[in-house]
Amino acid sequence: MKRKMDITKSLSLFVALLMTASVAMAQTENPDPDSDTETIIITSDTTEILLGKRKFIIISDDEGKKLEIKKPSDDDWDEDEEDADEAEHEEGDDDWDPDYEKKESKKKYSDVGLLAFDLGHTDYFVDNKYGIDAAGNPALELKAFRPGSHVALHFLPTTVSMIQGVVNLKSAITIDWSNYYFVNDITLQEGAETLVIDTTGINFDKNKLTARYVQIPLLFNINTDPGGDDGVSMSFGVYGGILWKSWTKQVSSELGKVKVDGDYNLNPYRYGLMARLDFKWFDIYAMYNLSNLFDEGIAPETQTLVAGINIIDF
């Protein structure tokens, strides 16, 4: 009776080994991605076959060979299923990309924002002279370091990546206010053929000329940490614009508040150079107006220099 049980056990092991060899040959010579066989693991002492919902384990030890049949544990099944899915994709799906999730999480360097905001100071800069020394007429002297003498709103600030976010192009649609706060109690005459400066003897608490331009900057940008906040972003390029509106505003105890719209012989077009330097916590910018502030031949040659901080990133 014992001999009969040994023969039965040997036949079972022989059939299991035969199944192992058949499956291994079938996978080697004619792989079938639709097969129920998920995984075959062969070590020096153990052979594991995952077939359908069962795992066949053939163990060789000092007592001989043993065959175990069991359902895989959740951990084993998940691992085998993950390996099988990857193998199935590699063999049968040309569109499958193993780096899909990595590519999805990669920073998109090209971007269109909503709004950026600059706040700075504007003054004259002619022939390497700044401030009163550069004023074409001393009567046009401006107050030094007047907060808010330059304000710019950049709508739809756009960054277009050229080389993986390191090299970019930047642009926007900009509304630019330049406020010229006069030191002297002067009045600019509107409608005159040339720039007429009157001295009225009135003491003004506020006396300024405002020029509002619509302009577009085009900047070449280099970013040392694309997609991050720890690097330095450097931008430099040009800008051009047209005069939208201009006016003078005076405030005094004698006349109260007086605002007069007019072009005041301002140049209807402007163009110049722009540079921006963005750090993690501190951003600065500068603009040099190459065109004259006033019309050619109307007033002495007068360029302006603007410098300030970027309140909202551009």
Side-chain angles (χ1 to χ4, degrees), residues 211-265:
R212 181 198 296 162
Y213 284 82
V214 178
Q215 60 192 36
I216 296 179
L218 182 60
L219 306 176
F220 181 80
N221 170 262
I222 297 177
N223 192 340
T224 62
D225 183 26
D229 298 324
D230 296 327
V232 177
S233 177
M234 299 168 286
S235 303
F236 51 91
V238 297
Y239 66 89
I242 59 175
L243 183 64
W244 179 3
K245 186 178 181 180
S246 55
W247 63 89
T248 57
K249 183 177 181 180
Q250 298 172 319
V251 178
S252 64
S253 57
E254 293 91 341
L255 302 177
K257 182 171 67 174
V258 178
K259 179 181 177 183
V260 180
D261 294 338
D263 62 21
Y264 296 96
N265 301 111

